[in-house]
Every structure is written in structure tokens, then in C-alpha cells.
Amino acid sequence: MRKKRAATAASSDERARVLDELQNTHEGPCLTAMDSMGSVLVPDLVREVRWPEYVEAAAGQGLRSVLSVPLVVEGDTRAALNLYSERAHAFSDADVERAEVFASHASKSLRLALKIAQLSDARNDLAAAMQSRTIIDLAVGAIMAQNHCSQEEAFTILRTASSNRNIKLRHLAQSIIEAVSSGKVTTHFEE
């Protein structure tokens, strides 16, 4: 669960993916484990009364036991490891303990992966902002040259035209640059 959106990051087979995806839109042991930050063991789906829609789907996939273990991550991001079995009472106390230890180790890797993803998102956002800023600055320069005006006056002309035409500033700037240039506009920040 990242940015209040649920998604399945990985699964070992199609049945696991289907059941994880079902929980992304409904309730189930995985979401309960993430909400409570505690492991959720369903020893026998035939006898389970929580999450009726999920239980019916899981039983329909031939599954009888489920173990969901939360992973500790940062901020509002939440995650869980789901283990499934075709046997009732498939997970012993020792299995739950091993899954929790594994989840503890996996949490560290997940936190690192999320940090890398956040940094990558920030880098991409910054690159997009720099590209937009470059295009706007070039358009302002073109307006300055055409109208023999100051940078501030040129920006005001661009902003007013954007508002009057109900076009985003960067899109209007891009169309101005395309009209006066024959090449691709790049920033010196691009790789």
C-alpha cells in the first residue's frame, strides 16, 4: 500500500496474484495484517467467518490456509507477505515465527527499494520541472526579442496568453518554441 493505493508487487504463481489482487479492492488477511501490524493466520478457510468474499474466492482456488505477515516500512507505506497452502492447519507456530523473521529481513530490503524509488521519482520530477522551466525561459526570450521588452514584461505576456487561451503555460511555451526553432530543446541536465 503506497500513497493510499494497493498493489501487488510480486507473486509466486497465478493463484497468489489473483488472491492478492482481490484484497487490493476488498478486505482480507493481508490488509488486516497491514492495518494491525500483526500477523494474521487463517488455519482453515472453511471455518473462517471474516472477509466472506475473500474466503469464498480463496476456497474457490483450492486453498485452505493463509498466513499474512506485515513488513515494517516507513511513512504511510505498508506491505505484507502472504503465504498460502492447499492444506488446512498448514502453518505451525514455528512457521509463523520463521515467516516473521523473514519478513523482518525483507522489510529492510523493501525500505531500501522504496527509498530508491522515492529518489528516482524526485529526480524525474525535478528533470521534468527543469525541462518545463527551460522551455518557458526560451519562450520568454523569444517574446523579448519579438517585442523588444523586458523579461518581466515578456513573462507577463506569456502568462496572460496562457490564461486567455486556457492553455497550460508550459504547453503554450512549447508551441512558441516549436514555431521559432527547428530542433529539439534540451537542458544541460539531461543525460
Side-chain angles (χ1 to χ4, degrees):
M1 183 87 59
R2 188 170 174 216
K3 296 180 182 177
K4 299 186 181 185
R5 296 185 65 208
T8 299
S11 64
S12 59
D13 70 14
E14 185 60 20
R15 286 190 300 178
R17 188 195 63 73
V18 166
L19 291 172
D20 286 350
E21 292 292 333
L22 177 64
Q23 290 185 86
N24 291 343
T25 56
H26 296 87
E27 293 182 325
C30 178
L31 295 178
T32 301
M34 286 190 291
D35 287 342
S36 69
M37 288 308 292
S39 296
V40 175
L41 175 62
V42 181
D44 189 352
L45 283 164
V46 172
R47 299 181 189 278
E48 183 59 58
V49 294
R50 299 172 288 178
W51 328 292
E53 189 173 338
Y54 176 80
V55 168
E56 182 180 340
Q61 293 286 329
L63 299 173
R64 292 288 302 272
S65 296
V66 179
L67 173 59
S68 295
V69 181
L71 281 74
V72 178
V73 289
E74 296 175 350
D76 63 350
T77 301
R78 296 178 292 156
L81 171 67
N82 299 308
L83 304 169
Y84 302 99
S85 178
E86 295 173 345
R87 290 185 306 112
H89 304 281
F91 303 107
S92 68
D93 290 342
D95 293 330
V96 173
E97 188 176 323
R98 279 192 293 274
E100 289 172 343
V101 168
F102 178 81
S104 173
H105 294 298
S107 293
K108 294 172 186 171
S109 297
L110 182 58
R111 282 194 300 269
L112 179 59
L114 288 170
K115 189 63 160 175
I116 291 169
Q118 289 168 345
L119 291 172
S120 179
D121 289 349
R123 180 204 154 301
N124 292 341
D125 291 347
L126 183 58
M130 293 303 295
Q131 180 67 25
S132 290
R133 187 73 231 172
T134 298
I135 290 170
I136 291 168
D137 285 346
L138 288 171
V140 166
I143 294 168
M144 288 170 64
Q146 186 177 35
N147 294 297
H148 305 290
C149 62
S150 71
Q151 181 180 7
E152 186 178 326
E153 291 169 324
F155 185 75
T156 300
I157 291 168
L158 181 63
R159 188 179 61 226
T160 302
S162 169
S163 178
N164 290 342
R165 295 179 186 175
N166 198 24
I167 299 172
K168 289 189 179 204
L169 189 64
R170 69 179 182 273
H171 293 148
L172 179 58
Q174 180 69 41
S175 66
I176 291 169
I177 296 307
E178 288 171 356
V180 299
S181 172
S182 61
K184 179 184 178 227
V185 174
T186 61
T187 65
H188 65 278
F189 299 103
E190 293 179 353
E191 296 173 21

